[in-house]
Amino acid sequence: YAVQMYKAPLTFDQLFTEVQWRKNKSNVILVFLESASSVDSRKFWGLNDRLPWLDNVSNDWTSFLNMHANGMTSDMGHIATLLWVEPLEYDYKWTRYESFTGIAAPLATFFNKLWYSTTFISAATLEFLNQRDFLKNVWYQTIIWEEAFEDKAKYTFDAAPDADLYEKAIEVVKAQTWSFFLTFQTISSHTPYNTPYGRSMEWMYRYEDETFSKFYEDLKATNFFDNGI
Protein backbone atom coordinates (compact mmCIF):
# COMPACT_ATOMS: atom_id res chain seq x y z
CA TYR A 1 0.00 0.00 0.00
CA ALA A 2 2.76 2.43 0.96
CA VAL A 3 4.70 1.77 -2.24
CA GLN A 4 1.57 2.51 -4.29
CA MET A 5 0.87 5.69 -2.33
CA TYR A 6 4.41 7.03 -2.77
CA LYS A 7 5.31 5.61 -6.16
CA ALA A 8 6.72 8.91 -7.39
CA PRO A 9 7.37 11.03 -4.29
CA LEU A 10 9.12 14.35 -4.27
CA THR A 11 12.61 14.43 -2.87
CA PHE A 12 14.00 16.95 -0.41
CA ASP A 13 16.04 18.43 -3.27
CA GLN A 14 12.81 19.67 -4.85
CA LEU A 15 11.87 21.65 -1.74
CA PHE A 16 14.80 24.04 -2.04
CA THR A 17 15.94 26.57 -4.61
CA GLU A 18 19.66 26.94 -5.12
CA VAL A 19 20.89 30.53 -5.03
CA GLN A 20 23.65 31.01 -7.57
CA TRP A 21 27.03 32.11 -6.16
CA ARG A 22 25.84 31.64 -2.59
CA LYS A 23 28.56 29.63 -0.88
CA ASN A 24 27.60 29.63 2.79
CA LYS A 25 25.91 26.51 4.16
CA SER A 26 23.82 26.83 7.29
CA ASN A 27 24.36 24.22 9.96
CA VAL A 28 21.15 22.45 10.96
CA ILE A 29 20.09 20.79 14.23
CA LEU A 30 16.89 18.73 14.34
CA VAL A 31 15.62 17.73 17.79
CA PHE A 32 12.94 15.09 18.35
CA LEU A 33 11.53 16.22 21.71
CA GLU A 34 9.92 13.10 23.15
CA SER A 35 6.17 13.35 23.85
CA ALA A 36 6.13 17.13 23.39
CA SER A 37 2.81 18.49 22.19
CA SER A 38 1.31 21.86 21.41
CA VAL A 39 -1.36 21.07 24.00
CA ASP A 40 1.28 21.84 26.64
CA SER A 41 2.45 25.10 25.06
CA ARG A 42 0.63 28.35 25.84
CA LYS A 43 2.20 30.05 22.84
CA PHE A 44 0.91 27.41 20.43
CA TRP A 45 -2.66 27.61 21.70
CA GLY A 46 -2.36 24.69 24.10
CA LEU A 47 -4.61 24.05 27.08
CA ASN A 48 -1.64 24.12 29.46
CA ASP A 49 1.36 26.32 30.15
CA ARG A 50 3.90 23.60 30.92
CA LEU A 51 6.72 24.69 28.58
CA PRO A 52 7.27 28.41 29.28
CA TRP A 53 11.03 28.36 28.65
CA LEU A 54 10.63 26.46 25.40
CA ASP A 55 8.00 29.01 24.35
CA ASN A 56 10.53 31.75 25.08
CA VAL A 57 13.09 30.05 22.82
CA SER A 58 10.56 29.94 19.99
CA ASN A 59 10.06 33.70 20.33
CA ASP A 60 13.63 34.25 19.14
CA TRP A 61 13.13 32.52 15.80
CA THR A 62 10.61 31.38 13.19
CA SER A 63 7.82 28.98 14.16
CA PHE A 64 6.56 26.54 11.51
CA LEU A 65 2.85 26.26 12.24
CA ASN A 66 1.97 24.05 9.27
CA MET A 67 4.63 21.39 9.74
CA HIS A 68 3.34 18.11 11.08
CA ALA A 69 4.76 14.64 11.80
CA ASN A 70 1.76 12.40 12.25
CA GLY A 71 1.52 9.35 14.48
CA MET A 72 1.39 8.37 18.12
CA THR A 73 4.86 6.83 18.42
CA SER A 74 8.43 8.00 17.90
CA ASP A 75 9.06 5.75 14.92
CA MET A 76 6.12 7.26 13.03
CA GLY A 77 7.46 10.74 13.74
CA HIS A 78 10.89 9.71 12.48
CA ILE A 79 9.42 8.29 9.29
CA ALA A 80 7.30 11.37 8.62
CA THR A 81 10.17 13.79 9.27
CA LEU A 82 13.23 11.97 7.95
CA LEU A 83 11.59 10.28 4.96
CA TRP A 84 8.86 12.80 4.15
CA VAL A 85 6.15 10.17 3.86
CA GLU A 86 3.04 9.63 5.95
CA PRO A 87 3.25 6.31 7.82
CA LEU A 88 -0.40 5.54 7.16
CA GLU A 89 -0.17 1.76 7.08
CA TYR A 90 2.49 -0.90 7.47
CA ASP A 91 2.90 -4.64 7.31
CA TYR A 92 2.65 -6.13 10.79
CA LYS A 93 5.19 -8.78 9.79
CA TRP A 94 7.81 -6.04 9.80
CA THR A 95 8.48 -2.94 11.84
CA ARG A 96 7.21 0.42 10.62
CA TYR A 97 10.79 1.42 9.88
CA GLU A 98 11.32 -1.52 7.53
CA SER A 99 8.02 -0.94 5.77
CA PHE A 100 8.85 2.64 4.78
CA THR A 101 12.61 2.66 4.28
CA GLY A 102 13.50 2.90 0.60
CA ILE A 103 10.29 4.62 -0.51
CA ALA A 104 11.73 8.13 -0.53
CA ALA A 105 15.21 9.65 -0.46
CA PRO A 106 16.04 10.34 3.22
CA LEU A 107 16.69 13.81 4.61
CA ALA A 108 20.23 12.82 5.64
CA THR A 109 20.96 11.86 2.03
CA PHE A 110 20.03 15.38 0.95
CA PHE A 111 22.66 16.80 3.31
CA ASN A 112 25.23 14.14 2.43
CA LYS A 113 25.01 15.20 -1.22
CA LEU A 114 25.83 18.75 -0.11
CA TRP A 115 28.95 17.47 1.67
CA TYR A 116 27.56 17.97 5.17
CA SER A 117 28.56 15.72 8.04
CA THR A 118 25.39 13.99 9.29
CA THR A 119 25.07 12.67 12.85
CA PHE A 120 22.30 11.10 14.94
CA ILE A 121 22.52 10.89 18.75
CA SER A 122 20.39 8.87 21.18
CA ALA A 123 21.08 8.15 24.85
CA ALA A 124 18.52 5.33 24.79
CA THR A 125 18.87 1.91 23.21
CA LEU A 126 18.53 1.74 19.44
CA GLU A 127 17.53 -1.92 19.50
CA PHE A 128 13.82 -1.09 19.89
CA LEU A 129 12.06 -1.66 16.54
CA ASN A 130 15.49 -2.14 14.99
CA GLN A 131 16.08 1.61 15.00
CA ARG A 132 19.83 1.22 14.62
CA ASP A 133 19.44 -0.37 11.18
CA PHE A 134 16.88 2.27 10.20
CA LEU A 135 19.34 5.07 10.94
CA LYS A 136 22.01 3.33 8.90
CA ASN A 137 19.56 2.81 6.04
CA VAL A 138 18.62 6.50 5.96
CA TRP A 139 22.32 7.27 5.61
CA TYR A 140 23.44 9.04 8.74
CA GLN A 141 27.23 9.01 8.53
CA THR A 142 27.71 8.88 12.30
CA ILE A 143 25.40 7.30 14.89
CA ILE A 144 26.09 7.86 18.58
CA TRP A 145 24.10 5.54 20.83
CA GLU A 146 23.86 4.40 24.44
CA GLU A 147 27.47 3.19 24.65
CA ALA A 148 28.59 6.83 24.70
CA PHE A 149 26.69 7.33 27.98
CA GLU A 150 27.81 4.26 29.92
CA ASP A 151 29.34 6.32 32.73
CA LYS A 152 26.19 8.41 33.24
CA ALA A 153 23.38 7.87 35.75
CA LYS A 154 20.41 6.02 34.25
CA TYR A 155 16.76 6.99 34.44
CA THR A 156 13.90 6.37 31.94
CA PHE A 157 14.41 3.14 29.96
CA ASP A 158 17.79 2.75 31.66
CA ALA A 159 19.05 5.69 29.60
CA ALA A 160 21.05 8.76 30.50
CA PRO A 161 18.82 11.79 31.09
CA ASP A 162 18.36 14.62 28.59
CA ALA A 163 20.91 16.90 30.25
CA ASP A 164 23.65 14.41 29.37
CA LEU A 165 22.29 14.07 25.84
CA TYR A 166 22.38 17.84 25.35
CA GLU A 167 25.92 17.94 26.73
CA LYS A 168 26.98 15.33 24.15
CA ALA A 169 25.27 17.34 21.41
CA ILE A 170 27.25 20.44 22.39
CA GLU A 171 30.46 18.36 22.24
CA VAL A 172 29.56 17.24 18.72
CA VAL A 173 28.81 20.79 17.63
CA LYS A 174 32.14 22.08 18.95
CA ALA A 175 34.01 19.25 17.21
CA GLN A 176 32.62 20.02 13.74
CA THR A 177 35.06 21.40 11.16
CA TRP A 178 32.62 21.87 8.26
CA SER A 179 28.89 22.17 7.62
CA PHE A 180 26.81 19.69 9.58
CA PHE A 181 23.32 18.26 10.06
CA LEU A 182 22.84 17.00 13.62
CA THR A 183 19.76 15.07 14.74
CA PHE A 184 19.01 13.74 18.20
CA GLN A 185 16.08 12.43 20.20
CA THR A 186 15.35 13.08 23.87
CA ILE A 187 14.02 10.42 26.23
CA SER A 188 13.38 11.89 29.71
CA SER A 189 9.83 12.98 28.92
CA HIS A 190 8.72 9.44 28.03
CA THR A 191 6.57 7.46 30.44
CA PRO A 192 7.12 6.09 33.02
CA TYR A 193 8.42 9.44 34.24
CA ASN A 194 11.81 9.22 35.89
CA THR A 195 14.01 12.31 35.78
CA PRO A 196 16.76 13.77 37.99
CA TYR A 197 14.10 16.19 39.26
CA GLY A 198 11.59 13.52 40.23
CA ARG A 199 9.13 10.93 38.94
CA SER A 200 5.91 12.93 38.66
CA MET A 201 4.48 14.48 35.51
CA GLU A 202 5.01 17.94 36.97
CA TRP A 203 8.71 17.30 37.59
CA MET A 204 9.06 15.79 34.12
CA TYR A 205 7.67 18.90 32.41
CA ARG A 206 9.91 21.17 34.45
CA TYR A 207 12.96 19.05 33.64
CA GLU A 208 12.07 18.87 29.93
CA ASP A 209 11.54 22.61 29.72
CA GLU A 210 14.59 23.72 31.70
CA THR A 211 17.10 21.31 30.15
CA PHE A 212 16.09 22.26 26.61
CA SER A 213 16.34 25.94 27.51
CA LYS A 214 19.84 25.38 28.93
CA PHE A 215 20.84 23.52 25.76
CA TYR A 216 19.67 26.50 23.74
CA GLU A 217 21.76 28.90 25.82
CA ASP A 218 24.79 26.60 25.60
CA LEU A 219 24.30 26.40 21.84
CA LYS A 220 24.23 30.18 21.57
CA ALA A 221 27.52 30.30 23.47
CA THR A 222 29.14 28.22 20.70
CA ASN A 223 28.11 30.90 18.17
CA PHE A 224 26.05 28.26 16.37
CA PHE A 225 23.37 30.75 15.42
CA ASP A 226 25.84 32.84 13.46
CA ASN A 227 25.49 30.19 10.76
CA GLY A 228 22.86 27.70 11.84
CA ILE A 229 19.20 26.94 12.42
Side-chain angles (χ1 to χ4, degrees), residues 119-135:
T119 303
F120 191 99
I121 311 175
S122 174
T125 178
L126 297 179
E127 299 303 325
F128 181 67
L129 293 180
N130 207 17
Q131 186 181 357
R132 193 190 312 271
D133 283 347
F134 167 74
L135 294 171

Side-chain angles (χ1 to χ4, degrees), residues 23-173:
K23 299 300 182 181
N24 62 306
K25 295 180 179 179
S26 293
N27 299 314
V28 180
I29 296 180
L30 171 63
V31 183
F32 287 98
L33 196 60
E34 174 64 46
S35 300
S37 172
S38 60
V39 73
D40 297 310
S41 165
R42 179 62 56 84
K43 178 180 177 179
F44 294 101
W45 310 290
L47 300 176
N48 305 304
D49 188 19
R50 291 168 169 161
L51 301 171
W53 286 105
L54 196 148
D55 283 352
N56 284 337
V57 169
S58 70
N59 290 331
D60 290 347
W61 305 98
T62 301
S63 299
F64 298 95
L65 303 181
N66 293 318
M67 181 177 176
H68 305 279
N70 67 303
M72 295 296 293
T73 57
S74 297
D75 56 328
M76 298 177 81
H78 294 160
I79 292 165
T81 306
L82 300 177
L83 294 179
W84 197 35
V85 296
E86 298 174 78
L88 300 174
E89 294 188 17
Y90 55 91
D91 190 337
Y92 278 98
K93 292 184 297 184
W94 310 100
T95 68
R96 295 186 184 94
Y97 286 132
E98 291 170 327
S99 296
F100 289 90
T101 303
I103 294 174
L107 181 57
T109 298
F110 169 78
F111 285 105
N112 289 337
K113 289 166 61 178
L114 295 175
W115 297 98
Y116 276 63
S117 65
T118 54
T119 303
F120 191 99
I121 311 175
S122 174
T125 178
L126 297 179
E127 299 303 325
F128 181 67
L129 293 180
N130 207 17
Q131 186 181 357
R132 193 190 312 271
D133 283 347
F134 167 74
L135 294 171
K136 292 178 180 177
N137 290 332
V138 296
W139 297 106
Y140 277 97
Q141 299 165 10
T142 303
I143 302 172
I144 300 173
W145 50 70
E146 63 269 27
E147 287 90 343
F149 302 90
E150 287 182 340
D151 61 338
K152 304 297 184 182
K154 303 299 188 293
Y155 290 86
T156 304
F157 293 143
D158 198 32
D162 288 351
D164 292 324
L165 176 72
Y166 291 134
E167 183 178 319
K168 175 62 68 175
I170 292 294
E171 290 179 10
V172 171
V173 169

